[in-house]
């Protein structure tokens, strides 16, 4: 069956360090993969979209990689700040085309 | 550009009752998807509407239903509420809604508590 796994439920890092979050999938062949940020009690907010023919994509302090051979995407936040503390979700298209989400990784950045 | 608006923000209902939640998508977006979010299961897809037609449906019982109007506004209805229906219900709008090719814009959600 199709699965999306975000390896860590929670990740704690020190301010200024790079946070690396992992998203693995099985039994999918996604053409696109997306990352979202969600703060408590609020809806997810889109961050980045990466296509299968793109190895890497950057936006300010954010970087996403997409390895279709390993079936994995990595999401990096460089020079992390306490304001980056949130839950980060990866998403890709399910068999019917709708977005399927991983359960998320809760990132805590300590000052 | 106004964002996705969901009403109401909070709702408390009793078991056995029914509830209707509303979602107004971003102007010009024809796809509206609904998700249920709980701490244990994460975001689970309920259904998607595109141009007033249900295009996709997740694995939820028939008590969960929805519709979309000609102005793209959408409603979802849950009948015969159960305690396990307590969750954050999120609506997302997008231009196409298919294949993750375009980003989805989420509303703030409706927090439903069933007592």
């Amino acid at each position: 069956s199709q699965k999306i796994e975000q390896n860590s439920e929670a990740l704690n890092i020190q301010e200024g360090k790079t946070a690396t979050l992992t998203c693995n999938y099985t039994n999918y062949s996604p053409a696109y993969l997306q990352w979202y940020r969600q703060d408590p009690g609020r809806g997810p907010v889109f961050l980045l979209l990466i296509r299968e023919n793109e190895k890497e994509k950057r936006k300010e302090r954010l970087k996403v990689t997409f390895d279709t051979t390993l079936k994995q995407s990595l999401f990096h936040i460089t020079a992390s700040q306490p304001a980056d503390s949130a839950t980060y979700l990866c998403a890709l298209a399910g068999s019917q085309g709708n977005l399927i989400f991983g359960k998320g990784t809760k990132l805590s950045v300590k000052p | 550009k106004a964002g996705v608006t969901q009403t109401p923000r909070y709702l408390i209902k009793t078991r056995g009752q029914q509830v209707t939640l509303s979602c107004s998508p971003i102007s010009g977006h024809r796809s509206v998807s609904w998700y249920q979010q709980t701490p244990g299961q994460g975001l689970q897809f309920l259904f998607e509407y595109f141009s007033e037609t249900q295009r996709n449906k997740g694995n939820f019982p028939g008590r969960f239903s929805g519709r979309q109007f000609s102005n793209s506004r959408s409603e979802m209805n849950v009948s015969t509420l159960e305690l396990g229906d307590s969750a954050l219900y999120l609506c997302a709008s997008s231009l196409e809604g298919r294949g993750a090719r375009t980003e989805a814009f989420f509303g703030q959600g409706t927090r439903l508590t069933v007592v």
Side-chain angles (χ1 to χ4, degrees):
Chain A
S1 62
Q2 295 175 319
K3 272 188 184 178
I4 305 174
E5 288 184 348
Q6 293 188 245
N7 287 6
S8 302
E9 278 193 26
L11 180 64
N12 299 310
I13 63 167
Q14 207 66 32
E15 182 176 8
K17 300 292 186 185
T18 296
T20 299
L21 286 63
T22 305
C23 176
N24 294 296
Y25 57 91
T26 55
N27 298 322
Y28 283 104
S29 296
Y32 305 84
L33 188 143
Q34 300 184 15
W35 283 87
Y36 289 77
R37 167 185 172 140
Q38 186 175 23
D39 291 286
R42 303 177 80 89
V45 174
F46 172 80
L47 295 174
L48 282 166
L49 180 154
I50 186 165
R51 295 172 175 75
E52 62 178 341
N53 60 351
E54 296 176 315
K55 297 298 181 192
E56 181 181 298
K57 198 142 186 194
R58 292 174 185 260
K59 179 182 173 184
E60 298 171 355
R61 294 184 295 112
L62 308 180
K63 184 178 88 171
V64 171
T65 63
F66 192 10
D67 189 324
T68 54
T69 302
L70 289 178
K71 294 186 182 294
Q72 180 181 81
S73 175
L74 299 178
F75 177 82
H76 307 271
I77 305 176
T78 58
S80 60
Q81 304 165 1
D84 295 326
S85 298
T87 296
Y88 291 86
L89 304 160
C90 72
L92 43 76
S95 55
Q96 294 178 305
N98 53 287
L99 269 182
I100 304 291
F101 285 84
K103 291 191 177 179
T105 295
K106 185 175 180 180
L107 174 66
S108 295
V109 181
K110 306 295 183 188
Chain B
K1 206 178 199 182
V4 178
T5 304
Q6 288 188 248
T7 55
R9 288 292 312 278
Y10 303 93
L11 210 46
I12 300 176
K13 289 286 189 178
T14 305
R15 266 182 306 175
Q17 286 186 312
Q18 75 162 16
V19 67
T20 299
L21 312 181
S22 180
C23 171
S24 292
I26 290 172
S27 177
H29 286 189
R30 292 193 292 166
S31 169
V32 174
S33 295
W34 288 89
Y35 293 84
Q36 180 195 69
Q37 188 173 35
T38 57
Q41 297 299 318
L43 270 161
Q44 291 192 287
F45 173 71
L46 281 156
F47 28 65
E48 182 213 355
Y49 286 87
F50 186 88
S51 295
E52 302 180 66
T53 301
Q54 188 181 85
R55 191 159 66 173
N56 292 311
K57 190 176 190 310
N59 294 325
F60 278 82
R63 300 185 296 108
F64 292 82
S65 62
R67 59 178 175 168
Q68 187 179 34
F69 302 95
S70 58
N71 62 357
S72 291
R73 190 178 72 85
S74 177
E75 289 181 346
M76 69 162 279
N77 184 276
V78 189
S79 62
T80 321
L81 284 165
E82 300 176 0
L83 294 179
D85 297 332
S86 295
L88 180 66
Y89 289 87
L90 291 159
C91 158
S93 82
S94 64
L95 281 169
E96 294 180 19
R98 179 161 277 179
R101 287 178 290 192
T102 56
E103 62 189 279
F105 295 83
F106 282 83
Q108 298 276 48
T110 294
R111 171 72 63 187
L112 172 65
T113 303
V114 182
V115 298

